């Protein structure tokens, strides 16, 4: 009798599953994970190490406070492992394509925030609108806006999206507006994110600023990561609004 795939045994532990579920929603610091899971830090750290060893969780040093570390779940890797696990049970098990959008359901409003609104949040805004098929109305802003970075324009042009001419915006332009999701892409802006009316879902993605490295490769990595994360976000939004309808 063959044993269950390692990923199923790994993810099947209640504490690890809870940690993965929390990280699937937002990048978190270990203290936040302890509070959410209701477990002591030594136990949470042990299970995080198990997930890191499997390659589904990684860490990033906080850009806001170098003493802090954010834990990041690789959803694409989880998808690959789950697909492989399903295939080991039966070859007919495969992922299902995203269902067509129900145009009767209003588009979800999503605000992406970073410090400068010069690269990460602009890229995220454009990708969300391009890839959602109208399911998302996106906006972006920064706590300290700077001009759009030319490398961001270049990598997005290669993806068929023209950012040229877009302006950088201060987050204060949006503080009175209602959003369904507010997503911080920068550790610093997370610390100063204002409250928004209506109680939107607050999500944090700890994504390094590609302008610090200032190479085209860094901007390409950022665009690729945002593309992957946004695809999962769109799937989550589509599922949630369909269930509410």
């Amino acid at each position: 009798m063959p044993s269950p795939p390692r990923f199923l045994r790994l993810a099947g532990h209640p504490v690890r599953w809870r940690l993965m579920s929390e990280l699937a929603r937002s990048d978190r610091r270990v203290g936040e994970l302890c509070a959410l899971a209701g477990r002591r830090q030594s136990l949470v750290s042990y299970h995080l190490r198990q997930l890191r060893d499997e390659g589904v969780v990684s860490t990033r040093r906080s850009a806001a406070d170098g003493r802090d570390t954010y834990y990041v779940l690789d959803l694409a890797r989880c998808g690959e492992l789950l697909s492989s696990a399903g295939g080991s049970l039966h070859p007919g098990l495969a992922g299902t394509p995203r269902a067509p959008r129900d145009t009767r359901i209003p588009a979800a409003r999503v605000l992406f925030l970073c410090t400068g609104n010069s690269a990460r949040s602009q890229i995220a805004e454009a990708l969300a609108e391009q890839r959602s098929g109208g399911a998302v109305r996106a906006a972006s802003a920064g706590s300290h806006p700077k001009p759009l970075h030319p490398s961001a324009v270049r990598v997005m042009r290669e993806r068929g999206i023209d950012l040229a001419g877009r302006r950088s915006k201060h987050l204060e332009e949006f503080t009175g507006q209602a959003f369904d999701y507010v997503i911080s892409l920068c550790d610093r802006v997370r610390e100063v994110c204002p409250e928004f009316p209506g109680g939107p879902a607050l999500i944090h993605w700890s994504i390094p600023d590609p302008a610090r490295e200032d190479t085209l490769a860094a901007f390409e990595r950022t665009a690729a990561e945002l593309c992957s994360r946004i695809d999962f976000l769109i799937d989550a939004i589509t599922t949630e609004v369909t269930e509410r309808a």
Side-chain angles (χ1 to χ4, degrees):
M1 178 71 67
S3 298
R6 172 174 166 75
F7 180 69
L8 293 186
R9 289 181 278 120
L10 181 82
H13 190 283
V15 174
R16 288 194 287 266
W17 183 255
R18 178 62 188 273
L19 296 175
M20 292 173 66
S21 298
E22 295 297 342
L23 292 173
R25 298 183 182 94
S26 178
D27 299 351
R28 297 287 188 183
R29 293 169 289 210
V30 68
E32 294 171 325
L33 290 169
C34 292
L36 289 165
R39 305 284 181 164
R40 64 184 186 277
Q41 183 167 333
S42 59
L43 182 64
V44 169
S45 296
Y46 167 78
H47 287 294
L48 286 171
R49 185 164 61 251
Q50 300 294 308
L51 295 169
R52 290 180 66 187
D53 289 345
E54 188 63 23
V56 296
V57 166
S58 61
T59 59
R60 285 179 177 162
R61 187 69 64 184
S62 170
D65 184 343
R67 296 169 296 180
D68 278 337
T69 297
Y70 279 99
Y71 286 85
V72 180
L73 182 68
D74 188 339
L75 281 168
R77 172 70 174 157
C78 290
E80 293 169 0
L81 292 170
L82 283 170
S83 177
S84 175
S88 69
L89 182 65
H90 189 283
L93 294 176
T96 56
R98 186 182 299 161
R101 176 183 174 242
D102 186 343
T103 55
R104 296 170 297 177
I105 300 174
R109 293 206 68 200
V110 180
L111 177 64
F112 294 99
L113 300 176
C114 67
T115 301
N117 193 216
S118 60
R120 289 167 290 184
S121 55
Q122 293 274 12
I123 291 171
E125 175 187 1
L127 285 171
E129 293 198 331
Q130 181 210 44
R131 301 182 71 82
S132 69
V136 168
R137 287 174 54 207
S140 68
S143 57
H144 295 80
K146 296 186 293 187
L148 193 60
H149 198 291
S151 292
V153 176
R154 180 174 172 182
V155 298
M156 292 307 288
R157 185 177 293 125
E158 293 172 354
R159 291 173 175 266
I161 299 176
D162 187 8
L163 294 185
R166 296 198 182 202
R167 69 181 182 90
S168 297
K169 304 166 290 295
H170 197 284
L171 60 84
E172 288 182 354
E173 290 190 31
F174 299 96
T175 51
Q177 299 185 30
F179 292 92
D180 299 294
Y181 302 84
V182 175
I183 303 177
S184 53
L185 309 177
C186 164
D187 302 333
R188 289 190 175 90
V189 83
R190 186 193 190 199
E191 305 300 327
V192 298
C193 183
E195 292 186 5
F196 289 85
L202 301 178
I203 296 172
H204 180 59
W205 296 345
S206 181
I207 298 178
D209 183 1
R212 286 183 172 272
E213 187 175 325
D214 204 14
T215 64
L216 193 60
F219 282 85
E220 289 170 342
R221 287 196 303 271
T222 298
E225 178 173 353
L226 283 168
C227 189
S228 176
R229 286 189 183 243
I230 284 167
D231 279 348
F232 286 111
L233 173 71
I234 293 166
D235 286 337
I237 289 173
T238 303
T239 299
E240 184 175 328
V241 298
T242 301
E243 290 175 348
R244 287 203 308 259

